[in-house]
Amino acid sequence: MGLGHLIRRGLTRRWADDRRGAAALEFALVIGPLIFMIMCCLELALVILATVTLDNATDVAARQIRTGEVTSASTPDDFKALICDNMSWLAGGCLNSLEVDVRTFDSFSLVDLTPPIKNGKFEASTFYYQIGGGSKIQLVRAYYEWPLFTPFLKPGLSTLANGDAMLVATDVFRNEPF
């Protein structure tokens, strides 16, 4: 073995034994997936929070139909505004993203809960706004289009062809005898 080989071998061994910077290298390898997972968790938490907010706001508005406070004299836009008024942190873009479907039935067995999404397209053209009288069965559905930003969650959460999620709140009840 020559002197050059020994010098290279010594440098290689010294470099292999040197642990300075190992933590920085490991952190650099882990930070990308870590940030990605944090973003996924945050987006999932926002979707759940928005869904719960929509569900609670729809319950409050549907209660006014159930008790006769909201009558057939109101309009779908009035009812949408009533829901949006109860969606505090989402109220800004609520009216543009919200669609409502309110129907009256004679029995619970006739209630059709088929979603209005066909081939990734949301079809609000089939929606009604019918508020029944006392003791009638009422279906109230609210749909809120929610944009998703994490590519990993889009396949699991998106319901529309554009990659957005459609959040749904549904209430089925019998009106009080008013």
Side-chain angles (χ1 to χ4, degrees):
M1 283 197 217
L3 184 60
H5 179 63
L6 288 176
I7 291 174
R8 277 181 278 159
R9 188 179 210 195
L11 288 175
T12 305
R13 183 175 298 162
R14 241 188 342 211
W15 182 76
D17 290 342
D18 191 2
R19 298 286 179 213
R20 291 179 297 170
L25 180 63
E26 291 169 356
F27 184 73
L29 292 172
V30 171
I31 191 66
L34 179 65
I35 289 174
F36 182 71
M37 291 302 293
I38 289 171
M39 294 304 292
C40 287
C41 289
L42 286 174
E43 181 164 37
L44 188 58
L46 279 173
V47 168
I48 291 170
L49 183 62
T51 302
V52 169
T53 302
L54 176 64
D55 203 31
N56 288 335
T58 304
D59 285 344
V60 169
R63 174 81 179 136
Q64 292 189 13
I65 292 175
R66 186 178 310 133
T67 58
E69 292 177 59
V70 172
T71 63
S72 57
S74 67
T75 67
D77 290 334
D78 294 338
F79 191 69
K80 283 171 59 172
L82 185 61
I83 293 174
C84 288
D85 288 345
N86 293 302
M87 292 184 66
S88 57
W89 67 282
L90 291 172
C94 180
L95 287 174
N96 296 331
S97 299
L98 184 70
E99 295 291 337
V100 294
D101 185 21
V102 180
R103 299 174 188 231
T104 302
F105 297 93
D106 291 325
S107 75
F108 284 106
S109 62
L110 298 175
V111 175
D112 181 20
L113 297 175
T114 306
I117 299 171
K118 300 207 180 3
N119 300 323
K121 300 284 185 198
F122 183 70
E123 297 181 7
S125 61
T126 61
F127 284 3
Y128 293 99
Y129 187 73
Q130 303 169 327
I131 295 180
S135 300
K136 287 290 190 179
I137 307 297
Q138 203 71 55
L139 166 67
V140 176
R141 293 189 292 186
Y143 294 90
Y144 191 92
E145 188 171 344
W146 184 264
L148 299 171
F149 61 88
T150 307
F152 182 70
L153 292 179
K154 281 189 180 189
L157 292 178
S158 67
T159 50
L160 300 175
N162 65 0
D164 289 350
M166 186 57 72
L167 308 181
V168 181
T170 304
D171 284 330
V172 180
F173 53 88
R174 181 182 301 275
N175 286 342
E176 293 178 3
F178 48 83

